[in-house]
Amino acid sequence: MEMVKLTIDGKEYEAPKGKLLIEVCKDHGIDIPSFCYYPDLTPQAACRMCLVRIEKMPKLATSCTVTVADGMVVTTASNEILEMRKGMLDFILGNHPLDCPVCDKGGQCELQDMAFDHGTVYAQYAVNKNNTGEERLSPFIAFDEQRCVRCYRCIRVCEEWMDVHALTKIARGTHEYIGFYGKDLSCEQCGNCVEVCPVGALLSVDSRFKSRPWDMKETVTTCTYCGDGCQLNLGVRGEEYVRAASKDMTGINGEFLCIKGRYGSAFISSPERLKTPLVKKNGQHVAVSWDEALKYTAEKLAAVRKASGDASLAVIGSPRLTNEANLTLARLGKAFGTPHLTHFRKMELGDFWKNLSAPIGTHAEVQEATTVLVIGGDPTEESPLTGYSVRYAERKHDADLLVVHSRPIKIARRQADRFLHIRPNAESAIVQALVDEASLDQMAKTAGVPAADLRAVREAVHKAKNLAVVVGPQVTGAALKALARLADVIGKSDDKKMCFLPMAGYNNSVGAFDMGLTGNAADVREKCGQAVKAVYLVGANPVEQYGDGWKTALAKLDFLVVQELFLTETAQLADVVFPVSSYAEQDGSFTNQAGQVQRVARALEGQGQLRPDWLVVQAIAKEMGLNINAKGSAAALLKDIGTEISGYSGVSFAKIKESNGAFRTSRPLAAGTAFDPILADLRKQTGAIDTNAQHDTRVVEQGEGLFKLGTMLNQVPTMIEAQPFWDAHKGETAEWEGEFVAAAGD
Amino acid sequence: MFSEALDKKANEIIARYPVKRSALLPLLHLVQNEENQITKEGMRYVAKKVGVEMNDVFEVLTFYTMYFTEPIGTHHIQLCRTISCYLRGAEEIREHLEKRLGIKPGQRTADGRFRLSEVECLGSCCTAPMFQINFDYHENLTPEKVDQILDSLP
């Protein structure tokens, strides 16, 4: 990188050519006040707070738009500049209300800090303020026009980070405000605009007026929704959850969060939470003591085991639980001696890991990729941080973005350089074309895409210098195996980089698998009442999520134990229900889909007699007289993971902290086993594709996946209240973007 | 929705600029002249034509004062209120117009025939006071002359 020499305030510095002056100053600890400058957003030069004097320039210059050059002489602090800052603040404060005592931002406000550091005591302007009220833009976001400093961070975040374009500036001059066309804010409701707002102009409806920032205890933890594993700050006041935010910008997500991360955690303070263990007596759940419930459960499980054998017990863990909980569950299952060690999952990670030919990439690596292939999943709706990373690669260095999906997803409509709109369930055909050139024309016909397009995608993938492959759950069976072998097929060389990012689904899908729950819980259903007589089910609600088949299946069991947060449809069928801590009430770790182990930290005690999942499992084992190497803390269990689980070697809370909050697991690459059997299976799989199936041209609506409610979101009041709002906006995406015209295939 | 002739005109306008979105302002005028206002359809047409978001179009049209999202009216009276006209009695003209039409600046008569706007200098100071109705100048105004002009309008 070319370096230039410049002088700032009489001192000489070296800096990379082309870097923004304000960034160079910040790097060297020189304070330059600014509102509109924000890392990662395009320069705006709207607030005029960062003006500096540069020699040979006729006027003061905005340091947020000037790039450093050789020989530049800069003054950042002089009477002239201090006076100018005072004047600018006077303008900005001209219409600002004095409502700091009731403002959510009070105490964390950049304008307060700025006025304190750079402002004057008395205002020069004696004109009346334009008094305006607060406006509710959507069920999640409110806007107080008068507090706005017009830095346009929110607008740029919405455009650049999210590609939603929901916000814009309306009118002009002192009457300008942040708004939009239409009657309400129809967007993904990620709330990133609220996050970046330097003042209290944009507000989260759910946490507004609930707490002053200094009354809140904030704990950094990992989100409990999708597989991306964003870091968030849980704000808790007393024993009550207040808000989730992402403020310190140190996590893998920076300041990015999605609707679920930001507004989906209120369930932890829901009054519906289970508070005591429940045992079914005469068909009714009765609250009992922990001792009684544990003893009863142990006796029943032991009885079933004695009567029907080890294999009659099944353990169903959950990708929602911590690694520690899943480890104890796996240990319990092994102590039972049962082969049914399972959890519910969207993707057969085992097949993928076994054939892995390139490392699992982090989000940062996807952001750096020059070619990105997204196949079989919708990052925007299913893994928002992955979506953000793909968009980032496209936005920052115009990566070649190739998208394969059976429906026109957002990233395909708006960013993709090439979109292969395939027939339903035809992902495997594309995979075959990628690994077997000879069959390309035929596969194009099978998938219903133009052969030229498919060939172009194949070429782009094969020639890529830095390739990231984002794999979704719709790539299954032999196709998943073959895709995992892609790096071997392409051929490795030193000037080529490649990584995979599987969209595994849940917050700890990868961890649950790694901890030893390798079976798929879906296979247990058939066996219920036959080979399997008792099920130990933790943190899953198959009755609601996977259909009524589960209700009849679970009813056939002799004994069902459920550990849950709420009395779900599944828990209602259980003989014993244990109330457990949510992710906010316990310590532990999650492994995200990029294979990073991140910390789950206890933010609050929780109401009622809650215990962490791993503690309950260990207590049952103890009651049954089984040795499962019980440990007294999550930290000790994590140490065990560090010694027992391959790839997790050496992991501990301290190590996670050392690795900036994300400990990277290692995964061995497949040693050159034969590819031909996989290819043969793949050919069978593609042969079974229905080539008469019509293309699914329905546009994927904004929020189609994001706004879906599950066990936890069902207990978040704002989410429930937002349902009519979303219903009212259904169909809008398709209306605005027009009918999607499918590419003619054959 | 819009005529082929208009679409052709729009293409001509776009062709004048190296970047498509530069044609945003003239295209907004084009659809406004066609429909006497800028409707949702008009915005959408322009947005698609130059490849920007609806919000971008809305941002621009709320910034400028010469775009209307409600019908302008048959005759748009744009009265100059800058200093030369002001000194020569623009205020009297305004009062007369307000009385005769029963509306204030920024409003439209109930029958939709007239809209009254106050605008800045139209560059006709030597013939002040003056106003512009749609695209025509009317100069050296007196209340009587205003009546004559308004009476003569269709």
Side-chain angles (χ1 to χ4, degrees), chain A residues 11 13 33 54 65 125-126 155 176 199 232 272 285 339 348 353 420 442 467 497 539 617 664 670 708:
Chain A
K11 264 180 146 176
Y13 296 97
I54 301 171
T65 52
Y125 294 99
I155 296 171
E176 186 185 73
V199 291
L232 38 93
E272 300 291 313
H285 275 132
E348 280 310 322
W353 296 159
L420 296 180
Q442 193 203 333
L467 174 68
K497 234 185 120 190
V617 174
R664 206 163 167 186
K708 246 189 222 154

PDB file of all heavy atoms in Angstrom, chain A residues 11 13 33 54 65 125-126 155 176 199 232 272 285 339 348 353 420 442 467 497 539 617 664 670 708:
ATOM      1  N   LYS A  11       2.548  17.878  13.823  1.00  0.00           N
ATOM      2  CA  LYS A  11       3.254  16.600  13.941  1.00  0.00           C
ATOM      3  C   LYS A  11       3.163  15.852  12.610  1.00  0.00           C
ATOM      4  O   LYS A  11       2.143  15.918  11.931  1.00  0.00           O
ATOM      5  CB  LYS A  11       2.595  15.741  15.021  1.00  0.00           C
ATOM      6  CG  LYS A  11       3.250  15.837  16.383  1.00  0.00           C
ATOM      7  CD  LYS A  11       2.474  14.950  17.298  1.00  0.00           C
ATOM      8  CE  LYS A  11       3.251  14.263  18.361  1.00  0.00           C
ATOM      9  NZ  LYS A  11       2.306  13.516  19.234  1.00  0.00           N
ATOM     10  N   TYR A  13       2.819  12.546  10.278  1.00  0.00           N
ATOM     11  CA  TYR A  13       2.262  11.195  10.342  1.00  0.00           C
ATOM     12  C   TYR A  13       2.382  10.530   8.988  1.00  0.00           C
ATOM     13  O   TYR A  13       2.442  11.206   7.956  1.00  0.00           O
ATOM     14  CB  TYR A  13       0.778  11.233  10.727  1.00  0.00           C
ATOM     15  CG  TYR A  13       0.493  11.787  12.102  1.00  0.00           C
ATOM     16  CD1 TYR A  13       0.132  13.120  12.266  1.00  0.00           C
ATOM     17  CD2 TYR A  13       0.580  10.976  13.234  1.00  0.00           C
ATOM     18  CE1 TYR A  13      -0.133  13.630  13.522  1.00  0.00           C
ATOM     19  CE2 TYR A  13       0.317  11.489  14.498  1.00  0.00           C
ATOM     20  CZ  TYR A  13      -0.041  12.819  14.631  1.00  0.00           C
ATOM     21  OH  TYR A  13      -0.308  13.313  15.876  1.00  0.00           O
ATOM     22  N   PRO A  33     -14.810  16.050  16.010  1.00  0.00           N
ATOM     23  CA  PRO A  33     -16.226  15.769  16.231  1.00  0.00           C
ATOM     24  C   PRO A  33     -16.951  15.564  14.909  1.00  0.00           C
ATOM     25  O   PRO A  33     -16.595  16.180  13.907  1.00  0.00           O
ATOM     26  CB  PRO A  33     -16.732  17.033  16.931  1.00  0.00           C
ATOM     27  CG  PRO A  33     -15.794  18.103  16.516  1.00  0.00           C
ATOM     28  CD  PRO A  33     -14.465  17.451  16.299  1.00  0.00           C
ATOM     29  N   ILE A  54      -7.001  23.120   6.017  1.00  0.00           N
ATOM     30  CA  ILE A  54      -5.928  22.472   5.261  1.00  0.00           C
ATOM     31  C   ILE A  54      -5.193  23.555   4.491  1.00  0.00           C
ATOM     32  O   ILE A  54      -5.844  24.359   3.794  1.00  0.00           O
ATOM     33  CB  ILE A  54      -6.483  21.411   4.288  1.00  0.00           C
ATOM     34  CG1 ILE A  54      -7.252  20.344   5.072  1.00  0.00           C
ATOM     35  CG2 ILE A  54      -5.365  20.760   3.483  1.00  0.00           C
ATOM     36  CD1 ILE A  54      -8.016  19.377   4.218  1.00  0.00           C
ATOM     37  N   THR A  65     -14.604  13.946   4.014  1.00  0.00           N
ATOM     38  CA  THR A  65     -14.646  13.700   2.566  1.00  0.00           C
ATOM     39  C   THR A  65     -13.281  13.871   1.914  1.00  0.00           C
ATOM     40  O   THR A  65     -13.099  13.489   0.771  1.00  0.00           O
ATOM     41  CB  THR A  65     -15.632  14.646   1.860  1.00  0.00           C
ATOM     42  OG1 THR A  65     -15.321  15.981   2.245  1.00  0.00           O
ATOM     43  CG2 THR A  65     -17.059  14.344   2.229  1.00  0.00           C
ATOM     44  N   TYR A 125     -29.442  31.959  18.939  1.00  0.00           N
ATOM     45  CA  TYR A 125     -30.734  32.112  18.273  1.00  0.00           C
ATOM     46  C   TYR A 125     -31.860  32.200  19.284  1.00  0.00           C
ATOM     47  O   TYR A 125     -31.912  31.431  20.230  1.00  0.00           O
ATOM     48  CB  TYR A 125     -30.989  30.931  17.335  1.00  0.00           C
ATOM     49  CG  TYR A 125     -30.021  30.922  16.216  1.00  0.00           C
ATOM     50  CD1 TYR A 125     -28.907  30.105  16.248  1.00  0.00           C
ATOM     51  CD2 TYR A 125     -30.190  31.778  15.138  1.00  0.00           C
ATOM     52  CE1 TYR A 125     -27.985  30.127  15.236  1.00  0.00           C
ATOM     53  CE2 TYR A 125     -29.265  31.804  14.118  1.00  0.00           C
ATOM     54  CZ  TYR A 125     -28.165  30.978  14.172  1.00  0.00           C
ATOM     55  OH  TYR A 125     -27.247  31.006  13.166  1.00  0.00           O
ATOM     56  N   ALA A 126     -32.738  33.153  19.042  1.00  0.00           N
ATOM     57  CA  ALA A 126     -33.846  33.328  19.964  1.00  0.00           C
ATOM     58  C   ALA A 126     -35.164  33.070  19.255  1.00  0.00           C
ATOM     59  O   ALA A 126     -36.207  33.513  19.679  1.00  0.00           O
ATOM     60  CB  ALA A 126     -33.824  34.732  20.543  1.00  0.00           C
ATOM     61  N   ILE A 155     -30.637   6.858   6.794  1.00  0.00           N
ATOM     62  CA  ILE A 155     -30.965   6.682   5.380  1.00  0.00           C
ATOM     63  C   ILE A 155     -29.886   5.866   4.689  1.00  0.00           C
ATOM     64  O   ILE A 155     -30.165   4.943   3.921  1.00  0.00           O
ATOM     65  CB  ILE A 155     -31.098   8.067   4.695  1.00  0.00           C
ATOM     66  CG1 ILE A 155     -32.273   8.830   5.300  1.00  0.00           C
ATOM     67  CG2 ILE A 155     -31.253   7.913   3.198  1.00  0.00           C
ATOM     68  CD1 ILE A 155     -32.359  10.268   4.861  1.00  0.00           C
ATOM     69  N   GLU A 176     -37.127  19.973   7.029  1.00  0.00           N
ATOM     70  CA  GLU A 176     -36.756  18.644   6.561  1.00  0.00           C
ATOM     71  C   GLU A 176     -36.923  17.606   7.667  1.00  0.00           C
ATOM     72  O   GLU A 176     -36.649  17.882   8.832  1.00  0.00           O
ATOM     73  CB  GLU A 176     -35.303  18.649   6.102  1.00  0.00           C
ATOM     74  CG  GLU A 176     -34.881  17.354   5.469  1.00  0.00           C
ATOM     75  CD  GLU A 176     -33.403  17.371   5.138  1.00  0.00           C
ATOM     76  OE1 GLU A 176     -32.591  17.274   6.062  1.00  0.00           O
ATOM     77  OE2 GLU A 176     -33.085  17.517   3.962  1.00  0.00           O
ATOM     78  N   VAL A 199     -28.682  10.541  18.098  1.00  0.00           N
ATOM     79  CA  VAL A 199     -29.537  11.177  19.100  1.00  0.00           C
ATOM     80  C   VAL A 199     -30.791  10.330  19.299  1.00  0.00           C
ATOM     81  O   VAL A 199     -30.866   9.223  18.789  1.00  0.00           O
ATOM     82  CB  VAL A 199     -29.925  12.610  18.651  1.00  0.00           C
ATOM     83  CG1 VAL A 199     -28.713  13.512  18.671  1.00  0.00           C
ATOM     84  CG2 VAL A 199     -30.561  12.588  17.286  1.00  0.00           C
ATOM     85  N   LEU A 232     -24.937  -9.480  20.777  1.00  0.00           N
ATOM     86  CA  LEU A 232     -25.812  -8.380  21.159  1.00  0.00           C
ATOM     87  C   LEU A 232     -25.666  -8.025  22.626  1.00  0.00           C
ATOM     88  O   LEU A 232     -25.236  -8.832  23.436  1.00  0.00           O
ATOM     89  CB  LEU A 232     -27.273  -8.644  20.788  1.00  0.00           C
ATOM     90  CG  LEU A 232     -27.892 -10.016  20.902  1.00  0.00           C
ATOM     91  CD1 LEU A 232     -28.553 -10.171  22.254  1.00  0.00           C
ATOM     92  CD2 LEU A 232     -28.929 -10.151  19.819  1.00  0.00           C
ATOM     93  N   GLU A 272     -45.651 -15.841  30.659  1.00  0.00           N
ATOM     94  CA  GLU A 272     -46.017 -17.217  30.323  1.00  0.00           C
ATOM     95  C   GLU A 272     -44.899 -18.221  30.601  1.00  0.00           C
ATOM     96  O   GLU A 272     -45.088 -19.419  30.406  1.00  0.00           O
ATOM     97  CB  GLU A 272     -46.374 -17.306  28.826  1.00  0.00           C
ATOM     98  CG  GLU A 272     -47.529 -16.440  28.397  1.00  0.00           C
ATOM     99  CD  GLU A 272     -48.849 -16.944  28.963  1.00  0.00           C
ATOM    100  OE1 GLU A 272     -49.081 -18.159  28.864  1.00  0.00           O
ATOM    101  OE2 GLU A 272     -49.608 -16.127  29.504  1.00  0.00           O
ATOM    102  N   HIS A 285     -51.444 -31.424  34.341  1.00  0.00           N
ATOM    103  CA  HIS A 285     -50.118 -31.021  34.814  1.00  0.00           C
ATOM    104  C   HIS A 285     -50.228 -30.402  36.198  1.00  0.00           C
ATOM    105  O   HIS A 285     -51.022 -29.503  36.419  1.00  0.00           O
ATOM    106  CB  HIS A 285     -49.477 -30.024  33.850  1.00  0.00           C
ATOM    107  CG  HIS A 285     -48.775 -30.690  32.713  1.00  0.00           C
ATOM    108  ND1 HIS A 285     -48.955 -30.320  31.406  1.00  0.00           N
ATOM    109  CD2 HIS A 285     -47.899 -31.720  32.691  1.00  0.00           C
ATOM    110  CE1 HIS A 285     -48.227 -31.090  30.617  1.00  0.00           C
ATOM    111  NE2 HIS A 285     -47.582 -31.954  31.370  1.00  0.00           N
ATOM    112  N   PRO A 339     -28.863 -45.636  20.522  1.00  0.00           N
ATOM    113  CA  PRO A 339     -28.348 -45.057  19.275  1.00  0.00           C
ATOM    114  C   PRO A 339     -29.087 -43.773  18.880  1.00  0.00           C
ATOM    115  O   PRO A 339     -28.671 -43.083  17.963  1.00  0.00           O
ATOM    116  CB  PRO A 339     -28.604 -46.159  18.252  1.00  0.00           C
ATOM    117  CG  PRO A 339     -29.769 -46.916  18.785  1.00  0.00           C
ATOM    118  CD  PRO A 339     -29.726 -46.813  20.286  1.00  0.00           C
ATOM    119  N   GLU A 348     -28.195 -31.547   6.580  1.00  0.00           N
ATOM    120  CA  GLU A 348     -27.427 -32.718   7.001  1.00  0.00           C
ATOM    121  C   GLU A 348     -25.944 -32.361   7.084  1.00  0.00           C
ATOM    122  O   GLU A 348     -25.162 -32.620   6.170  1.00  0.00           O
ATOM    123  CB  GLU A 348     -27.664 -33.883   6.040  1.00  0.00           C
ATOM    124  CG  GLU A 348     -28.958 -34.625   6.274  1.00  0.00           C
ATOM    125  CD  GLU A 348     -29.170 -35.022   7.737  1.00  0.00           C
ATOM    126  OE1 GLU A 348     -28.204 -35.400   8.426  1.00  0.00           O
ATOM    127  OE2 GLU A 348     -30.326 -34.930   8.206  1.00  0.00           O
ATOM    128  N   TRP A 353     -19.739 -32.063   6.394  1.00  0.00           N
ATOM    129  CA  TRP A 353     -18.419 -32.086   7.072  1.00  0.00           C
ATOM    130  C   TRP A 353     -17.539 -33.184   6.489  1.00  0.00           C
ATOM    131  O   TRP A 353     -16.362 -32.985   6.257  1.00  0.00           O
ATOM    132  CB  TRP A 353     -18.554 -32.345   8.569  1.00  0.00           C
ATOM    133  CG  TRP A 353     -19.269 -31.336   9.419  1.00  0.00           C
ATOM    134  CD1 TRP A 353     -19.820 -31.594  10.639  1.00  0.00           C
ATOM    135  CD2 TRP A 353     -19.480 -29.936   9.191  1.00  0.00           C
ATOM    136  NE1 TRP A 353     -20.382 -30.449  11.166  1.00  0.00           N
ATOM    137  CE2 TRP A 353     -20.188 -29.423  10.292  1.00  0.00           C
ATOM    138  CE3 TRP A 353     -19.165 -29.066   8.142  1.00  0.00           C
ATOM    139  CZ2 TRP A 353     -20.577 -28.090  10.403  1.00  0.00           C
ATOM    140  CZ3 TRP A 353     -19.554 -27.738   8.241  1.00  0.00           C
ATOM    141  CH2 TRP A 353     -20.243 -27.267   9.352  1.00  0.00           C
ATOM    142  N   LEU A 420     -29.751 -17.881 -11.537  1.00  0.00           N
ATOM    143  CA  LEU A 420     -30.300 -19.073 -12.177  1.00  0.00           C
ATOM    144  C   LEU A 420     -31.616 -19.400 -11.468  1.00  0.00           C
ATOM    145  O   LEU A 420     -31.614 -19.877 -10.337  1.00  0.00           O
ATOM    146  CB  LEU A 420     -29.327 -20.245 -12.065  1.00  0.00           C
ATOM    147  CG  LEU A 420     -27.988 -20.081 -12.785  1.00  0.00           C
ATOM    148  CD1 LEU A 420     -27.131 -21.321 -12.581  1.00  0.00           C
ATOM    149  CD2 LEU A 420     -28.199 -19.815 -14.270  1.00  0.00           C
ATOM    150  N   GLN A 442     -27.473 -30.951 -20.447  1.00  0.00           N
ATOM    151  CA  GLN A 442     -28.616 -31.733 -19.979  1.00  0.00           C
ATOM    152  C   GLN A 442     -29.134 -31.180 -18.648  1.00  0.00           C
ATOM    153  O   GLN A 442     -30.339 -31.083 -18.420  1.00  0.00           O
ATOM    154  CB  GLN A 442     -28.168 -33.192 -19.823  1.00  0.00           C
ATOM    155  CG  GLN A 442     -29.312 -34.152 -19.641  1.00  0.00           C
ATOM    156  CD  GLN A 442     -28.835 -35.413 -18.955  1.00  0.00           C
ATOM    157  OE1 GLN A 442     -27.654 -35.777 -19.061  1.00  0.00           O
ATOM    158  NE2 GLN A 442     -29.718 -36.072 -18.248  1.00  0.00           N
ATOM    159  N   LEU A 467     -13.306 -17.437  -3.770  1.00  0.00           N
ATOM    160  CA  LEU A 467     -14.701 -17.878  -3.901  1.00  0.00           C
ATOM    161  C   LEU A 467     -15.316 -18.187  -2.549  1.00  0.00           C
ATOM    162  O   LEU A 467     -14.712 -18.851  -1.716  1.00  0.00           O
ATOM    163  CB  LEU A 467     -14.737 -19.130  -4.787  1.00  0.00           C
ATOM    164  CG  LEU A 467     -16.079 -19.839  -4.953  1.00  0.00           C
ATOM    165  CD1 LEU A 467     -17.056 -18.991  -5.749  1.00  0.00           C
ATOM    166  CD2 LEU A 467     -15.895 -21.190  -5.640  1.00  0.00           C
ATOM    167  N   LYS A 497      -8.427 -18.966  -3.490  1.00  0.00           N
ATOM    168  CA  LYS A 497      -8.939 -19.102  -2.137  1.00  0.00           C
ATOM    169  C   LYS A 497     -10.387 -19.531  -2.242  1.00  0.00           C
ATOM    170  O   LYS A 497     -11.090 -19.119  -3.161  1.00  0.00           O
ATOM    171  CB  LYS A 497      -8.870 -17.734  -1.440  1.00  0.00           C
ATOM    172  CG  LYS A 497      -8.110 -17.768  -0.103  1.00  0.00           C
ATOM    173  CD  LYS A 497      -8.181 -16.430   0.584  1.00  0.00           C
ATOM    174  CE  LYS A 497      -8.855 -16.631   1.923  1.00  0.00           C
ATOM    175  NZ  LYS A 497      -9.192 -15.391   2.581  1.00  0.00           N
ATOM    176  N   GLY A 539     -36.049 -28.422  24.343  1.00  0.00           N
ATOM    177  CA  GLY A 539     -36.009 -27.217  23.524  1.00  0.00           C
ATOM    178  C   GLY A 539     -36.476 -27.372  22.095  1.00  0.00           C
ATOM    179  O   GLY A 539     -35.905 -26.779  21.194  1.00  0.00           O
ATOM    180  N   VAL A 617     -30.133 -32.154  33.159  1.00  0.00           N
ATOM    181  CA  VAL A 617     -29.731 -33.432  32.577  1.00  0.00           C
ATOM    182  C   VAL A 617     -28.805 -34.173  33.542  1.00  0.00           C
ATOM    183  O   VAL A 617     -28.950 -35.377  33.782  1.00  0.00           O
ATOM    184  CB  VAL A 617     -29.039 -33.203  31.211  1.00  0.00           C
ATOM    185  CG1 VAL A 617     -28.491 -34.511  30.667  1.00  0.00           C
ATOM    186  CG2 VAL A 617     -30.021 -32.586  30.228  1.00  0.00           C
ATOM    187  N   ARG A 664     -12.487 -19.771  16.792  1.00  0.00           N
ATOM    188  CA  ARG A 664     -12.724 -20.465  15.534  1.00  0.00           C
ATOM    189  C   ARG A 664     -12.405 -21.952  15.658  1.00  0.00           C
ATOM    190  O   ARG A 664     -11.292 -22.312  16.007  1.00  0.00           O
ATOM    191  CB  ARG A 664     -11.855 -19.832  14.454  1.00  0.00           C
ATOM    192  CG  ARG A 664     -12.454 -20.017  13.117  1.00  0.00           C
ATOM    193  CD  ARG A 664     -11.855 -19.085  12.108  1.00  0.00           C
ATOM    194  NE  ARG A 664     -12.273 -19.536  10.797  1.00  0.00           N
ATOM    195  CZ  ARG A 664     -11.837 -19.025   9.684  1.00  0.00           C
ATOM    196  NH1 ARG A 664     -10.975 -18.040   9.711  1.00  0.00           N
ATOM    197  NH2 ARG A 664     -12.271 -19.479   8.527  1.00  0.00           N
ATOM    198  N   ALA A 670     -11.699 -33.279   3.846  1.00  0.00           N
ATOM    199  CA  ALA A 670     -11.831 -34.679   3.431  1.00  0.00           C
ATOM    200  C   ALA A 670     -10.564 -35.108   2.706  1.00  0.00           C
ATOM    201  O   ALA A 670     -10.112 -34.449   1.781  1.00  0.00           O
ATOM    202  CB  ALA A 670     -13.032 -34.834   2.515  1.00  0.00           C
ATOM    203  N   LYS A 708     -41.814 -14.779  10.586  1.00  0.00           N
ATOM    204  CA  LYS A 708     -42.513 -15.988  11.021  1.00  0.00           C
ATOM    205  C   LYS A 708     -42.338 -16.184  12.517  1.00  0.00           C
ATOM    206  O   LYS A 708     -41.244 -16.048  13.037  1.00  0.00           O
ATOM    207  CB  LYS A 708     -41.930 -17.187  10.279  1.00  0.00           C
ATOM    208  CG  LYS A 708     -42.925 -17.827   9.348  1.00  0.00           C
ATOM    209  CD  LYS A 708     -42.354 -19.117   8.821  1.00  0.00           C
ATOM    210  CE  LYS A 708     -42.665 -19.244   7.345  1.00  0.00           C
ATOM    211  NZ  LYS A 708     -41.703 -20.063   6.664  1.00  0.00           N
TER     212      LYS A 708
END
